Amino acid sequence: MRQLKFLATITGTVLGLGLAAGMPAAHAASIIPTTEGEIKTNLTCLDPSKCIDTTSLGYKVTSLEFDSDDKSPKYGLSRLFIDNRSTSNTYQGQGLTIKFGTQDAGTNTALNQFWLRPVVIKEDGKLPEQGQLEVGRFLFEFDKKYEEITLDLFDIEDIGTGILEINGQQVTDMMLQPLAKNANNSIQRLTLTNVQSFVVQLGSGYTPKFQASGDGVSLSAINTSKAVPEAGTTVGLGVLAVAGMFGLRQRKKVLQAG
């Protein structure tokens, strides 16, 4: 296995990037709930009985506006769900009916795994691909800074998906935004270090490859390490926090989900 590593300095932030093999995120350390439902965001859940509050897991999620291509329909805020493709689910409320079957129109994760699954909604309230277009932009905010948080992004087949911000700082490196296109049902793994928040764009509502629809992408995440000590407890840590410095190692392998 070959590794490629380099350091790049952008906007006063140190960025470390590497390529390596990796299997899907281990659920033992997963920060992804293992109960299907809708993640509580700044949107009211469609079904209150199926609403999942992630604050008990140490983070919260905010759905963000995102600009779409001029050729695509205009989108509103996306919803975010926990889905296991082994089961079918229906979510109803606020005039919407979203159905997840055991076979998706295009993005099919492995059975018996839990993934974050966005659902893009048009500004007029309609659901592209009957709710099976996994596109959205989300802010993840943790209650403490972690040494490492690993993200697995499933089925990036075209441009659009990427990490936009880390710890409130815009990411401008083109190897992170947008992420590289890969084969159908492949997994790209990113490991963020010294991170307390990040913004991720999942999928794209209009891409050159999928002109009739879009590129849907799912997300999984694990916390792979302990929290970073408070500023002042480690020499130089306060300076790093003020500077907004972080590292990021990217490990990527094309995996077939079966």
Side-chain angles (χ1 to χ4, degrees), residues 125-144:
K126 295 182 179 180
L127 296 168
E129 298 183 31
Q130 298 180 328
Q132 295 186 23
L133 180 53
E134 297 88 350
V135 175
R137 182 174 297 182
F138 302 95
L139 167 65
F140 286 75
E141 297 177 280
F142 296 85
D143 57 8
K144 60 189 69 176

Side-chain angles (χ1 to χ4, degrees), residues 88-105:
S88 299
N89 295 282
T90 299
Y91 299 90
Q92 289 182 302
Q94 304 175 40
L96 291 176
T97 299
I98 296 174
K99 294 184 178 182
F100 298 149
T102 56
Q103 186 70 24
D104 185 80

Side-chain angles (χ1 to χ4, degrees), residues 26-76:
H27 290 295
S30 179
I31 58 175
I32 302 300
T34 54
T35 300
E36 292 181 295
E38 182 176 359
I39 295 294
K40 180 182 178 181
T41 66
N42 47 319
L43 297 173
T44 302
C45 291
L46 297 181
D47 184 346
S49 68
K50 299 178 180 179
C51 193
I52 299 174
D53 189 344
T54 58
T55 56
S56 63
L57 297 174
Y59 67 95
K60 66 178 182 178
V61 184
T62 302
S63 181
L64 303 177
E65 299 275 358
F66 61 94
D67 295 329
S68 56
D69 190 282
D70 290 340
K71 297 180 181 179
S72 70
K74 296 299 181 182
Y75 298 118

